[in-house]
Amino acid sequence: MLYVVVILADPKYESRLNLALSLNIYVPRDERFGHLKLADFLSYALKSIVQVLKPEFESIFDKTPNEFDSFEDVLKLYEGGLEVPEGVVKVIRDNVPLEMLKEIFRTDGERFLKFPLPQVIAVDKFAWRTDEEFAREMLAGINPVMIRSLEEFPPASKLDPKVYGDQTSTITKEHIESNLEGHTINEVIIERKLFILDHHDALTYASRTLLFLQKNGTLKPLAIELSLPHPEGDQHGAISKVFVPEEKGVENSLWQLAKGYVGVVDSGYHQLISHWLHTHAVIEPFIIATNRQLSVLHPIYKLLHPHYRDTMNINALGRQILINAGGALEVTVFTSKYSMEFSSMLYKDWVFPEQALPQDLLKRGVAVKDSSCPHGLKLLIEDYPFAVDGLEIWFAIKTWVQDYCSVYYKDDESIKKDAELQSWWKELREKGHGDKKEEIWWPKMQTREELIETCTIIIWIASALHAAINFGQYPYGGYPPNRPAISSKLVPEKGTPEYDELLANPDKTYLKTFTSQFKAVLGISLVEILSRHSSDEVYLGQRDTENWTSDAEALEAFAKFGKKIEDIEEGMKRMNNDEKLRNRYGPVKMPYTLLYPSSEGGLTGRGIPNSVSI
Ligand SMILES: *[C@@H]1O[C@H](CO)[C@@H](O)[C@H](O)[C@H]1NC(C)=O
Ligand SMILES: *[C@@H]1O[C@H](CO)[C@@H](O)[C@H](O)[C@H]1NC(C)=O
Ligand SMILES: [Fe+2]
């Protein structure tokens, strides 16, 4: 489950040209930043962090590894109290123009770093440690797409027992029954009140977290199981430990550590799967097929084009400095050098029609069909902020796409006869997502309904889904203890010096396990840039030019969409002020704003850009 990061110079590894601070990678002409924008600054900032700050910090911290001793020590990062070694300051001064220094490194060339205060600790410095907040972030945090309903007990595994032995969970009813408000496991399964954050199979050895939906609508974590490979080989199954919530003593310290490991596993899944794979990467083939097969005058080109803005550029940059071998991600995320392997492996499980939000919720068992509910769906966790807000946005996009497509396609026949549209879809399936061309689940693109659903999914992924996954990175993850991404130690065993240290100083053990200073500072610098909007961003419901079409009906439908998006935002604000909806605020008192459509530029924790642009 845990890897200590060691980057060796292996000749079989991909290596990169030293491009200094230029970005000399081929991106098709049409897709280059064609506009003066802050994104140029943002990419400059990313490059500076990775190419200037990272190697310097690496060498300095290698010689004198520094650890945080207490949470107060970590908080100094936001108060201008972390001293940067002199050598680093010199290299930064020599390489980065003065006007960039303040923005990028949070220093004006002085020796102290100062980051903005992340929202998760803005009101209360310690509420993130509560169990309620830990669970709430599965519904309103930056990876709210993973929790699912648990329908069997103990949780099973889909891994092949011939290869992996018995991987069934070792969580028993004794571990959890005392926390079920007097019910039995069977009762709560039948009532659909048991949930799981299951990272076990995807990582083979990782974590399972069980949660119970309480009467007041909040989730209570019941147990965390952490698994490691069997020393005598995979076929012997996993070696697992179960932790349960305890309020006091060393059991509480162990429980806090267990929650930290869940954070690590979930952060890796978030960055590589939910974020990189499920938004940035899967959209690229659509961009290429659209440019190659649809003329710029084609109505579907005009519909989709705003949702592709800057994506090829940001992905090229990501491949150059973030996800590449030896890049920033491998240093800051626990999957280390296996990161891309992990991501490409899970591409096998990606299913296009299931990216539609209603399908996703049904598949995870967190919603059921119910014609008496709005949109025909009943959420089993009623106060599930990502799902509630997401459904509003999803159906607004769908109505817009439907209105727009109806202007140009009056019947199914017109879809079949549109040669450009058919070649677009053929190229997308057979070349763009060519590894999946045999899948029978692709829409056939023979009916209006198939065109509408397809375009809705593309727009949803590029806009709202990416926004929900991306712009909370700093608000939640800018404080690494809340969202650790890498660990350097296993859970201490009784009778070891590490265990004694845990007894003596649990906070220090927690920080030593999850928050090495170098990785924390590098990680915070990165998510700070990645959570920003450029000042000329275009948000959902807007276009960068009014004259994108001269068709009055299309313009009218678009104006209606823009109005609907504004109304939805008002509704979200009202819900955030409703104290009954506890999961929207939680103990950290941080309203759920990640799906507010509008935003200013900068680090706002809100705003749905049309496209994946950072
Ligand atoms: C919800 O109910 C549980 C169990 O009664 C309680 O411990 C918890 O504090 C409640 N949460 C809120 C936010 O009221
Ligand atoms: C849009 O087109 C109209 C008519 O051709 C023109 O008068 C107007 O200035 C254009 N608007 C913009 C923003 O280009
Ligand atoms: Fe992103």
Side-chain angles (χ1 to χ4, degrees):
M1 172 178 91
L2 310 157
Y3 303 96
V4 178
V5 176
V6 183
I7 297 182
L8 299 169
D10 183 332
K12 283 185 295 198
Y13 277 42
E14 180 184 4
S15 68
R16 294 275 151 181
L17 296 171
N18 184 357
L19 297 174
L21 292 175
S22 73
L23 176 62
N24 205 0
I25 311 161
Y26 174 72
V27 171
R29 196 65 217 150
D30 285 348
E31 297 302 318
R32 295 213 78 118
F33 295 140
H35 40 106
L36 190 69
K37 65 173 300 199
L38 197 69
D40 294 327
F41 164 76
L42 293 181
S43 51
Y44 187 92
L46 279 177
K47 280 178 283 183
S48 309
I49 288 166
V50 175
Q51 292 171 354
V52 181
L53 189 69
K54 176 173 162 276
E56 282 311 308
F57 267 35
E58 243 159 358
S59 68
I60 303 271
F61 284 107
D62 264 3
K63 279 180 228 127
T64 48
N66 259 324
E67 302 292 348
F68 296 111
D69 289 320
S70 63
F71 290 112
E72 284 72 23
D73 233 16
V74 186
L75 294 171
K76 286 185 190 152
L77 287 172
Y78 317 100
E79 291 156 6
L82 187 81
E83 196 171 350
V84 186
E86 183 60 40
V88 177
V89 177
K90 182 173 175 344
V91 175
I92 293 174
R93 279 208 210 102
D94 292 351
N95 282 278
V96 182
L98 202 62
E99 69 273 15
M100 293 279 186
L101 278 175
K102 203 168 174 340
E103 276 294 302
I104 300 173
F105 297 114
R106 301 280 143 196
T107 154
D108 30 23
E110 298 305 321
R111 293 187 49 192
F112 295 94
L113 284 176
K114 184 174 180 183
F115 292 99
L117 194 62
Q119 242 178 311
V120 72
I121 50 166
V123 179
D124 182 326
K125 300 276 179 292
F126 289 95
W128 63 272
R129 298 204 91 179
T130 59
D131 289 357
E132 185 183 332
E133 177 60 21
F134 169 74
R136 188 191 76 90
E137 289 185 20
M138 298 174 199
L139 305 174
I142 49 176
N143 196 28
V145 291
M146 191 67 198
I147 188 168
R148 61 178 177 79
S149 135
L150 182 65
E151 282 152 37
E152 60 192 340
F153 190 86
S157 165
K158 292 201 176 73
L159 294 170
D160 181 355
K162 285 200 218 68
V163 183
Y164 294 103
D166 186 3
Q167 296 276 342
T168 311
S169 172
T170 56
I171 300 174
T172 62
K173 75 178 191 325
E174 285 72 27
H175 284 125
I176 67 174
E177 239 169 26
S178 62
N179 280 318
L180 301 180
E181 293 180 343
H183 299 282
T184 65
I185 291 184
N186 278 346
E187 285 164 1
V188 297
I189 287 182
I190 290 165
E191 288 172 33
R192 313 274 310 251
K193 289 192 162 157
L194 208 50
F195 295 86
I196 184 168
L197 184 77
D198 191 350
H199 285 299
H200 186 87
D201 284 7
L203 289 148
T204 314
Y205 303 97
S207 65
R208 289 182 176 112
T209 308
L210 260 53
L211 304 121
F212 172 60
L213 180 61
Q214 305 178 113
K215 273 202 206 77
N216 60 19
T218 63
L219 289 172
K220 179 177 178 63
L222 297 170
I224 291 171
E225 178 187 52
L226 302 176
S227 306
L228 284 171
H230 198 286
E232 283 156 38
D234 279 341
Q235 69 280 13
H236 297 281
I239 303 276
S240 299
K241 270 193 190 152
V242 178
F243 301 84
V244 294
E246 291 289 346
E247 310 253 315
K248 290 199 201 74
V250 71
E251 272 71 31
N252 174 261
S253 310
L254 287 165
W255 171 246
Q256 296 295 349
L257 281 180
K259 288 195 288 181
Y261 290 109
V262 173
V264 169
V265 172
D266 196 58
S267 295
Y269 192 94
H270 165 259
Q271 279 305 5
L272 293 161
I273 310 303
S274 308
H275 186 200
W276 170 253
L277 175 66
H278 287 176
T279 65
H280 284 254
V282 298
I283 278 293
E284 227 176 81
F286 290 93
I287 303 175
I288 297 171
T290 305
N291 278 305
R292 282 172 44 85
Q293 300 297 339
L294 298 180
S295 100
V296 296
L297 297 175
H298 193 283
I300 299 303
Y301 181 98
K302 290 189 176 193
L303 172 69
L304 297 177
H305 187 249
H307 302 288
Y308 298 153
R309 188 183 198 243
D310 294 342
T311 306
M312 297 287 281
N313 262 293
I314 196 67
N315 285 1
L317 181 66
R319 289 192 175 94
Q320 185 66 21
I321 61 172
L322 297 177
I323 62 167
N324 56 300
L329 215 107
E330 293 194 352
V331 179
T332 50
V333 176
F334 86 97
T335 36
S336 168
K337 68 176 180 182
Y338 302 103
S339 296
M340 279 302 103
E341 188 180 335
F342 176 44
S343 179
S344 44
M345 193 182 80
L346 286 207
Y347 175 55
K348 294 194 179 76
D349 295 343
W350 184 78
V351 175
F352 179 73
E354 289 173 3
Q355 307 310 303
L357 181 62
Q359 298 312 314
D360 168 52
L361 297 172
L362 290 168
K363 183 169 186 220
R364 288 191 282 125
V366 291
V368 288
K369 287 191 175 154
D370 183 337
S371 55
S372 70
C373 294
H375 309 308
L377 280 179
K378 180 176 151 66
L379 289 172
L380 294 176
I381 305 171
E382 238 171 275
D383 179 17
Y384 182 171
F386 164 76
V388 171
D389 294 2
L391 284 171
E392 290 296 315
I393 300 282
W394 165 270
F395 284 102
I397 297 173
K398 185 151 185 178
T399 303
W400 148 239
V401 172
Q402 200 157 9
D403 291 350
Y404 179 83
C405 289
S406 306
V407 177
Y408 303 97
Y409 299 96
K410 301 291 178 204
D411 50 28
D412 293 345
E413 207 50 36
S414 56
I415 305 276
K416 291 181 201 158
K417 283 194 186 136
D418 183 335
E420 279 187 33
L421 191 71
Q422 293 302 328
S423 348
W424 170 66
W425 196 238
K426 184 175 161 63
E427 170 159 326
L428 183 274
R429 289 177 49 178
E430 296 180 2
K431 296 212 170 66
H433 278 289
D435 288 344
K436 296 193 159 284
K437 63 169 175 263
E438 309 299 339
E439 302 292 351
I440 54 162
W441 42 248
W442 285 110
K444 305 249 176 310
M445 206 49 78
Q446 300 292 303
T447 65
R448 293 202 316 164
E449 186 44 41
E450 285 172 332
L451 176 66
I452 291 162
E453 182 77 0
T454 296
C455 292
T456 306
I457 295 175
I458 297 170
I459 296 172
W460 162 256
I461 293 175
S463 62
L465 180 62
H466 177 260
I469 300 288
N470 191 82
F471 294 101
Q473 290 185 81
Y474 194 82
Y476 283 103
Y479 187 60
N482 177 52
R483 196 81 194 144
I486 197 157
S487 57
S488 51
K489 294 180 188 340
L490 297 176
V491 183
E493 296 284 347
K494 231 177 190 154
T496 60
E498 286 79 14
Y499 194 86
D500 295 340
E501 190 180 354
L502 179 70
L503 283 171
N505 192 342
D507 289 356
K508 189 166 175 181
T509 301
Y510 186 93
L511 291 168
K512 269 171 84 170
T513 307
F514 299 118
T515 320
S516 97
Q517 243 178 39
F518 157 59
K519 283 170 197 153
V521 171
L522 182 61
I524 297 171
S525 311
L526 283 174
V527 294
E528 206 258 1
I529 301 293
L530 293 175
S531 305
R532 291 209 215 176
H533 295 290
S534 68
S535 57
D536 62 352
E537 193 58 271
V538 185
Y539 297 90
L540 198 62
Q542 304 170 359
R543 307 255 324 196
D544 57 1
T545 163
E546 316 167 15
N547 286 355
W548 59 279
T549 178
S550 47
D551 295 343
E553 269 180 280
L555 288 170
E556 213 172 283
F558 190 67
K560 178 178 138 197
F561 176 53
K563 179 75 181 61
K564 177 75 190 169
I565 290 292
E566 283 171 20
D567 292 348
I568 289 175
E569 184 165 315
E570 289 312 308
M572 290 174 185
K573 286 181 185 155
R574 274 196 301 277
M575 284 189 280
N576 278 342
N577 283 325
D578 183 344
E579 282 187 6
K580 287 195 298 295
L581 303 175
R582 298 166 206 265
N583 295 328
R584 298 188 80 96
Y585 259 91
V588 293
K589 306 212 167 36
M590 175 179 172
Y592 187 67
T593 57
L594 292 174
L595 284 172
Y596 279 12
S598 73
S599 176
E600 312 276 296
L603 191 61
T604 61
R606 59 181 283 180
I608 306 179
N610 274 330
S611 63
V612 176
S613 60
I614 184 82

